[in-house]
Amino acid sequence: MSESSARASARPAATSARVASKPSGIDSTSSTLPRRQLGRYLRDWRTQAGLTIAEASRLMEWGASTLQRLEKGQADRIRTIDIQELCRIYGIPAELADGLKGLAQQVPAMSWWHSYDSGGGIPANFDVYSGLEASAQRIASYQSEALGGLLQTTEYAMAVNRLGYPDDSEAQLERRVGLRMQRQVMLTKKVSPVLLDVVLHESVLRRVVGGAKVMSAQLRHLADFGTRDNVSLRILPFAAGVPLGVSTGPFTVLEFGTDSKGHPIEPSVVYAEGLSGELYLERRTDVRRYDRAHESLRDCALDAQASRQLLRAVAKEFITQ
């Protein structure tokens, strides 16, 4: 996000947060992922704008509880005209505001597909996943083709982005990679770092990205990174075959911790990316299915020490090529 701190004092055009009976509102008391992501963005930008909930609510001519529900993803109905006005008050850039209005328009559902073609009202370049990842307390993932962003070195990330965004300038690529590197702070911070539990298929180690030198450095980085207390990194070798009996693509399960009573702060979410978009699953049965799949893959993988040994061995192979 930018560091805009614009404060609006003008009376808002949207003068009421009361329920609309027209199609522009969404009828549901369900807290769904798009609504929670919308709430996160609005809360962060309100804070950057230097506004308390009470102050922002007065500018919208709302009660404070209305804005609180919106920021928690628990609003009964959401009107895009209200989101547009909040974006104006907080000084949110137009391109981000378009994404937030797109989130507000999503039909409440426990399975959500974010299409890259903007067909769902959300701009193709709007990043939903990073905000979700930043809120997680534990991340369990299976990576079968390429490394996820949290484990990439700068050189590996640059090589991947050059392939994925061939029309970008060098400056644009550097910006993308810089943002990816910033995300990794969540793993290395001293207080409450994110717990990361990754199963890597051996093919990820063998698939050359950026050349032998880049791969050797990347694998050594993984071996060292896997020694951190908050990181579990295991390699699923070719010899393990197909542990689940079916082929599965890469997936990630995100958990968000519990409150003082032991209840989940937010529902766990399964994330899977495809060529044309991103799939998000919140239904408990779906999450459990992926949890069991990750556990099975982990059980069939090498242990932590053997995984590090394999990583370092393959890193040496790249150097001697």
Side-chain angles (χ1 to χ4, degrees), residues 28-320:
S28 176
T29 57
S30 300
S31 174
T32 60
L33 187 145
R35 291 187 174 195
R36 292 195 300 275
Q37 287 303 94
L38 172 63
R40 282 193 186 94
Y41 274 111
L42 292 176
R43 181 181 64 244
D44 291 345
W45 277 88
R46 173 180 57 76
T47 302
Q48 288 188 43
L51 291 167
T52 66
I53 283 183
E55 290 169 337
S57 298
R58 281 197 295 271
L59 290 173
M60 290 295 294
E61 297 187 357
W62 289 356
S65 62
T66 298
L67 183 54
Q68 286 177 331
R69 288 196 301 272
L70 181 59
E71 291 188 357
K72 292 179 179 180
Q74 298 172 348
D76 292 346
R77 299 187 182 186
I78 303 175
R79 304 192 315 170
T80 54
I81 190 173
D82 293 332
I83 302 305
Q84 182 175 334
E85 184 59 22
L86 283 170
C87 289
R88 186 191 68 79
I89 290 172
Y90 299 162
I92 296 178
E95 61 274 15
L96 179 56
D98 288 341
L100 299 188
K101 286 185 286 186
L103 287 175
Q105 294 167 4
Q106 300 305 299
V107 176
M110 300 305 288
S111 299
W112 182 56
W113 174 254
H114 172 208
S115 175
Y116 292 150
D117 66 5
S118 301
I122 300 177
N125 61 353
F126 184 79
D127 189 351
V128 176
Y129 177 73
S130 293
L132 188 68
E133 181 184 74
S135 302
Q137 289 194 12
R138 180 178 181 271
I139 300 174
S141 74
Y142 171 58
Q143 300 169 14
S144 57
E145 295 186 14
L147 285 170
L150 291 179
L151 293 174
Q152 294 175 2
T153 62
T154 300
E155 293 75 18
Y156 186 102
M158 183 63 77
V160 168
N161 276 275
R162 279 204 176 97
L163 294 171
Y165 303 95
D167 297 329
D168 274 11
S169 66
E170 197 67 18
Q172 289 173 317
L173 289 172
E174 289 178 359
R175 180 178 179 278
R176 288 184 186 278
V177 172
L179 291 173
R180 185 164 295 190
M181 295 301 105
Q182 288 178 22
R183 286 165 50 191
Q184 297 181 3
V185 173
M186 61 193 294
L187 293 170
T188 58
K189 61 183 182 179
K190 294 182 179 180
V191 179
S192 301
V194 171
L195 301 177
L196 182 65
D197 188 346
V198 179
V199 177
L200 286 180
H201 195 278
E202 187 177 348
S203 60
V204 177
L205 282 57
R206 307 287 182 177
R207 184 172 283 115
V208 180
V209 174
K213 184 177 180 180
V214 170
M215 287 302 300
S216 181
Q218 174 66 77
L219 298 186
R220 292 197 304 272
H221 170 73
L222 290 177
D224 293 340
F225 208 70
T227 63
R228 297 185 61 86
D229 291 339
N230 61 309
V231 175
S232 172
L233 198 158
R234 298 188 179 216
I235 308 302
L236 182 68
F238 288 121
V242 186
L244 302 180
V246 295
S247 178
T248 177
F251 64 85
T252 301
V253 182
L254 301 105
E255 300 174 5
F256 303 94
T258 57
D259 59 21
S260 59
K261 297 181 179 180
H263 300 143
I265 295 173
E266 292 186 24
S268 297
V269 174
V270 175
Y271 165 80
E273 184 176 15
L275 270 177
S276 59
E278 302 167 333
L279 177 65
Y280 296 89
L281 303 173
E282 294 183 78
R283 200 183 308 276
R284 290 183 181 180
T285 53
D286 292 330
V287 174
R288 282 199 296 268
R289 182 175 292 109
Y290 277 91
D291 276 336
R292 288 194 296 267
H294 187 270
E295 183 177 351
S296 296
L297 293 167
R298 195 175 189 275
D299 288 344
C300 294
L302 302 175
D303 64 25
Q305 182 175 355
S307 294
R308 287 195 291 272
Q309 290 173 346
L310 179 58
L311 285 165
R312 293 191 172 107
V314 178
K316 289 181 181 178
E317 291 177 15
F318 277 115
I319 290 298
T320 58

